[in-house]
Amino acid sequence: MGALETAVAVLTRAADAGACVVLSAHVQPDADALGSTLALAEGLRRRGARVTPTFPGPFVLPASLAWLPGADRLVPATEVPTHPDLVVGLDAADLRRLGELGAVLTAAPASLVVDHHASNPGFGQVQLVDPEAAGTVVLVADLLAGLGVELDTDIATCLYAGLAADTGSFRFGNTSPATHQFAARLLATGIDHARISQRLFDTAPFGWLALLSLATGRATLERATGRGLVWTWATVAEAEGHGLAGDHLEALVDVVRSAEEADVACVLKGTPDGAWNVSLRSRGGTDVSAVAIAMGGGGHRMAAGFTSHLDREQTVAAIRARL
């Protein structure tokens, strides 16, 4: 039995038994993680499972994702059932990305991990991990098909949000003919794809412009580092100073990566506890997942990240040395 069939069997048993299932996205979930979690939660709910969708603290949803169908049913990690029958981790490259829910998954009598990160070491009792998938939502769609759940506009909206985000609106190298065929299936349900993209990518408070100006004004280009490195930084406190939630820092790397002189783009995001969450992007010539893994993180060849407890200059120096 293949990985997909095994995963479907695990979910089918849980649904048929009306089991208590906890589904968790990774910490600070993006559209792929959250869309995957909400879509699978709704599918299992329709099949009879008792479902609790969640993600690790801080339990704060970015405004760009809070509108997704089913988001109002998310439960803080501190309120999940203490003894679930099954725990499903979604889009988490390793156990640490599940935060305090990692212990819940490890202790559960049954667990399933659904992910598409090449750096995933394999954890949980059953793994459906496919680095060739454009996003975890693609694997969730396969699971829903195996469960006999038909796609409607609510589920398709969640899946499309994750697909559009993880393919960069179908601009990234992980886009294939199959990706467009999957998108066509989702569009056929009647979703408003233009509105979804607008909410995900083209809607932000006015203060975002000031934060963007601050970060791009600090950008440094190092042509001689690897195949070229462009990097900048900003902090959660600075975002809040412009009336923004800290999650707005996540979008900075998609602007910085446009510098044609650098193969690698890097954004350091300062947290209130003094750590730096680092986003890395490659234009194709550098495997940034290797850098991230060496620094205790993970991801894909073209997009990866890690958390550093060094100071800012030491963190950049470590990245520079790896490149």
Side-chain angles (χ1 to χ4, degrees):
M1 186 181 293
L4 175 61
E5 291 77 12
T6 301
V8 168
V10 168
L11 296 176
T12 299
R13 284 195 297 271
D16 290 345
C20 175
V21 183
V22 170
L23 299 100
S24 179
H26 59 65
V27 64
Q28 297 179 319
D30 56 12
D32 189 29
L34 198 63
S36 295
T37 301
L38 296 177
L40 186 56
E42 180 59 23
L44 286 171
R45 190 178 291 116
R46 294 179 188 177
R47 286 280 277 102
R50 292 174 289 130
V51 177
T52 302
T54 185
F55 60 89
F59 189 68
V60 179
L61 265 186
S64 61
L65 299 177
W67 57 272
L68 285 172
D72 58 331
R73 297 194 181 194
L74 286 161
V75 172
T78 54
E79 298 178 15
V80 302
T82 53
H83 300 291
D85 300 305
L86 169 66
V87 177
V88 183
L90 294 123
D91 202 44
D94 59 50
L95 188 61
R96 292 169 299 176
R97 293 285 282 161
L98 292 178
E100 64 268 42
L101 290 157
V104 180
L105 182 144
T106 301
S111 59
L112 168 64
V113 171
V114 185
D115 185 35
H116 73 129
H117 292 92
S119 62
N120 192 306
F123 62 98
Q125 295 175 13
V126 175
Q127 300 107 30
L128 177 59
V129 179
D130 182 3
E132 298 301 315
T136 298
V137 289
V138 176
L139 303 177
V140 167
D142 291 339
L143 291 172
L144 292 172
L147 287 166
V149 176
E150 293 188 11
L151 301 184
D152 61 7
T153 54
D154 281 353
I155 291 178
T157 293
C158 292
L159 297 176
Y160 187 87
L163 186 67
D166 261 32
T167 59
S169 295
F170 310 99
R171 293 179 292 114
F172 297 165
N174 59 346
T175 302
S176 67
T179 310
H180 286 293
Q181 290 164 0
F182 179 42
R185 283 177 52 208
L186 300 177
L187 292 176
T189 66
I191 60 172
D192 187 347
H193 64 95
R195 180 63 172 152
I196 293 170
S197 294
Q198 183 184 56
R199 283 176 151 177
L200 286 176
F201 311 120
D202 298 328
T203 302
F206 180 74
W208 159 249
L209 299 180
L211 179 66
L212 181 61
S213 175
L214 177 70
T216 54
R218 291 171 173 163
T220 298
L221 175 64
E222 300 184 11
R223 296 174 186 267
T225 297
R227 298 184 179 217
L229 168 68
V230 59
W231 66 275
T232 191
W233 61 277
T235 68
V236 169
E238 288 172 331
E240 292 174 344
H242 292 292
L244 305 171
D247 60 81
H248 279 89
L249 297 173
E250 301 301 320
L252 291 172
V253 72
D254 291 321
V255 177
V256 176
R257 72 189 302 172
S258 63
E260 65 179 350
E261 296 90 345
D263 187 58
V264 173
C266 169
V267 173
L268 289 80
K269 298 158 288 184
T271 65
D273 64 0
W276 294 95
N277 291 328
V278 181
S279 292
L280 298 168
R281 299 291 184 269
S282 170
R283 295 177 70 87
T286 306
D287 181 0
V288 292
S289 70
V291 177
I293 290 170
M295 300 294 291
H300 306 282
R301 175 181 175 84
M302 304 282 283
F306 65 94
T307 297
S308 172
H309 295 281
L310 303 172
D311 66 28
R312 186 176 69 245
E313 291 304 325
Q314 289 175 319
T315 299
V316 175
I319 295 168
R320 189 182 293 121
R322 295 291 177 184
L323 291 174

